[in-house]
Amino acid sequence: MTTIVLVMMCVAVGALELYAGRQGRDRERAYVRRIDALQDQVTRQNDALATVGERLSAELAKVQRDLLPGLGSRVDDTAGQVAELAGLVRQAEAYVRAQAGRMHDLEQQRVTLAALRRKLGEVEGAVRALDRAGTGAVEGKVDTALDRLADLARGGGEILDLQRTLTRTLEEVEDVVAELLRLTEGELDDAVAGAVTGRTPAAVPVRATGRLWTRDDQVRDILAEVYERAVRASGLEIRFRADNAARRRYFFGGRRVEDLGGTFTALLISTGADLRSGARPAGLARAPEDEASLKALLRTVFECTGAVAQIGPLLTVRTREELLCAVLTPDQGLELENDELYFDPAAAAQRLRLLPPHQVWDLTAWGARA
């Protein structure tokens, strides 16, 4: 009986060892499969990282080859221009301060001359009270002195006027230099940003031009304010402005000329629809900002006796009799510029009459009703 029990126990132990061995082999195979899967995953990740590294190396090599060699010279050139413009600004400021000092001195001289004139007036009154027999020569000298003082006062006034004119001119020069400095700094920032990121700057410094002129001095400032509001509402940015007598030129960044042409055409069609159908009904929503700004500009131009306003392809001309608007192609705009018609309302209006009808809008009746 004991032998049978021992035999049964040996069989049981053997069975348990066989079962344990089989389970161990299964776990070993599963572990090997897991290790193989992890190795495949690591291999794929290494391949992906290698591909990304090759791309980054190629892009860095392209940047080093194409952009970095010319960046130093561009930065040096722009830095030189900035330094030159800064020197002009400092020189203009020194001129302004010097002229301000001279104006202060002239004001003091005028005060002194006025005091002397009052004093001589008192002396003249006292002298006239003397005996008439011996005072003729004295009165003549007093009159001569008073005339001389009057001439000096008039000369001082003229000098003051000249000094004020010179000061205004220097301030205008300072404004122009500041605009040039701002434009140059913007271009430098774009160049540096493009070099750092390895991409060519998408923004073009100047995409369109503009002009503004009116023969009415009283409304020139108001017209300029309304004009610049319409420019900003059209999605443009004023990069630079320059004044030449009563003429003002603008250089814009932002939208392209071809995009502006379609926008202005749609706005003028809407304005022409207002002319045919009457005023905008009260129940409709308020006009968009670009449409409202353009109509405000048209109304302001209409109030002038003569004016020209150009925003890229849009040209608005006001003569004494009519208000015309046109959306020009680049070739037509260049033709008007070559013929110097942008600041001549009568000649510009005559040229616009020769354009195709779908490019020109006569808004004279609209302006009179608005």
Side-chain angles (χ1 to χ4, degrees):
M1 186 65 182
T2 304
T3 303
I4 295 172
V5 172
L6 290 174
V7 171
M8 294 298 293
M9 291 179 64
C10 290
V11 172
V13 170
L16 290 174
E17 288 180 353
L18 289 174
Y19 178 76
R22 183 176 180 182
Q23 291 294 326
R25 286 192 298 273
D26 292 341
R27 284 195 296 271
E28 181 180 356
R29 285 194 294 270
Y31 181 74
V32 169
R33 287 195 298 273
R34 180 59 178 170
I35 293 297
D36 292 339
L38 289 175
Q39 288 179 349
D40 293 339
Q41 185 176 359
V42 170
T43 302
R44 288 195 298 271
Q45 290 179 351
N46 287 335
D47 294 340
L49 290 175
T51 303
V52 173
E54 291 175 356
R55 290 180 181 176
L56 289 176
S57 299
E59 291 181 0
L60 289 175
K62 182 178 179 182
V63 170
Q64 293 176 353
R65 183 181 65 254
D66 299 337
L67 296 178
L68 292 181
L71 179 62
S73 60
R74 291 179 62 185
V75 171
D76 293 338
D77 294 342
T78 310
Q81 294 177 2
V82 171
E84 182 178 356
L85 292 174
L88 291 175
V89 171
R90 288 192 295 269
Q91 185 178 2
E93 290 178 350
Y95 283 145
V96 170
R97 287 193 295 269
Q99 296 307 322
R102 294 185 62 185
M103 288 184 64
H104 179 72
D105 294 339
L106 288 173
E107 290 288 352
Q108 295 296 327
Q109 292 178 9
R110 289 191 62 182
V111 172
T112 303
L113 289 174
L116 288 174
R117 188 170 183 178
R118 288 194 300 271
K119 187 65 176 178
L120 286 177
E122 295 174 358
V123 172
E124 180 185 11
V127 170
R128 291 183 185 277
L130 298 176
D131 184 39
R132 293 182 177 275
T135 59
V138 176
E139 290 180 355
K141 292 180 181 180
V142 171
D143 292 338
T144 303
L146 290 174
D147 292 339
R148 178 60 176 167
L149 286 174
D151 293 338
L152 289 175
R154 285 193 296 271
E158 293 176 357
I159 292 175
L160 282 175
D161 291 338
L162 291 176
Q163 294 298 327
R164 293 190 183 97
T165 302
L166 179 59
T167 301
R168 286 194 299 269
T169 302
L170 290 175
E171 290 175 352
E172 293 175 357
V173 171
E174 185 177 3
D175 292 339
V176 172
V177 172
E179 290 283 343
L180 286 173
L181 184 61
R182 182 173 63 84
L183 178 61
T184 305
E185 288 177 348
E187 293 178 353
L188 180 60
D189 291 338
D190 292 341
V192 172
V196 171
T197 59
R199 297 190 299 270
T200 302
V204 178
V206 175
R207 290 185 179 272
T209 60
R211 294 170 178 83
L212 186 64
W213 172 86
T214 178
R215 64 166 55 98
D216 299 327
D217 296 336
Q218 294 82 2
V219 300
R220 181 172 292 116
D221 293 339
I222 298 175
L223 180 60
E225 180 180 353
V226 176
Y227 174 87
E228 293 182 4
R229 189 183 304 122
V231 168
R232 289 189 292 270
S234 301
L236 294 172
E237 176 188 358
I238 299 175
R239 301 300 301 272
F240 179 69
R241 61 173 66 84
D243 291 329
N244 182 9
R247 303 176 178 182
R248 174 172 289 187
R249 291 201 64 185
Y250 290 86
F251 298 88
F252 306 130
R255 301 178 63 187
R256 295 190 299 269
V257 174
E258 51 268 27
D259 296 335
L260 292 172
T263 300
F264 287 135
T265 299
L267 292 176
L268 290 175
I269 290 174
S270 175
T271 304
D274 290 346
L275 179 61
R276 291 190 298 271
S277 61
R280 179 183 293 269
L284 293 182
R286 193 176 65 176
E289 181 181 0
D290 54 352
E291 180 181 351
S293 300
L294 177 62
K295 290 182 178 179
L297 175 61
L298 295 177
R299 293 189 186 96
T300 307
V301 171
F302 182 81
E303 295 301 325
C304 302
T305 58
V308 175
Q310 179 220 352
I311 305 176
L314 174 66
L315 178 61
T316 303
V317 176
R318 172 59 169 158
T319 64
R320 296 185 184 276
E321 294 82 15
E322 56 189 354
L323 174 65
L324 296 179
C325 291
V327 178
L328 307 175
T329 64
D331 293 337
Q332 292 168 346
L334 182 61
E335 181 180 358
L336 264 68
E337 183 174 3
N338 292 335
D339 294 340
E340 299 181 354
L341 300 182
Y342 275 115
F343 298 107
D344 187 349
Q350 185 176 2
R351 182 66 60 85
L352 294 184
R353 289 294 187 185
L354 302 178
L355 297 177
H358 67 275
Q359 289 185 254
V360 183
W361 285 263
D362 187 345
L363 299 179
T364 307
W366 177 88
R369 191 181 64 186

